[in-house]
Amino acid sequence: MPQDQWYYCLVHHAVEPAEGCKAIERLGPYPTREEAEQALQIAQERNEEWDNDPRFNDEDEDDDEGGSAFDALKP
């Protein structure tokens, strides 16, 4: 694993190198320490993009149909 990868630890709220907490407790990898420091903001922006992406917007569908979010991806 390259040493120039950085992670944001969700437990300690800190940036750490590859040798850190368990993967499930971290966001990343990021190519720079500075980018890892912005991990929560990056995640929020990506979530907002997904929430507003019409390919994944199922407001017009009935939620009681039992389908999954992945059904929209089927051809």
Side-chain angles (χ1 to χ4, degrees):
M1 182 179 300
Q3 290 185 351
D4 60 344
Q5 291 185 332
W6 294 90
Y7 298 82
Y8 183 83
C9 177
L10 297 168
V11 174
H12 300 108
H13 305 284
V15 173
E16 56 187 33
E19 307 80 24
C21 294
K22 296 184 274 186
I24 197 165
E25 298 173 343
R26 305 190 299 178
L27 298 176
Y30 295 94
T32 66
R33 181 178 187 87
E34 292 76 22
E35 193 170 349
E37 289 172 350
Q38 300 299 314
L40 295 179
Q41 179 181 345
I42 292 168
Q44 180 180 356
E45 290 170 0
R46 290 177 180 168
N47 286 341
E48 288 173 4
E49 287 176 18
W50 278 67
D51 288 345
N52 296 315
D53 189 325
R55 295 175 296 168
F56 304 105
N57 186 347
D58 61 355
E59 289 179 10
D60 296 334
E61 295 179 17
D62 185 7
D63 288 351
D64 295 332
E65 290 180 12
S68 80
F70 297 106
D71 290 346
L73 300 175
K74 294 179 182 174

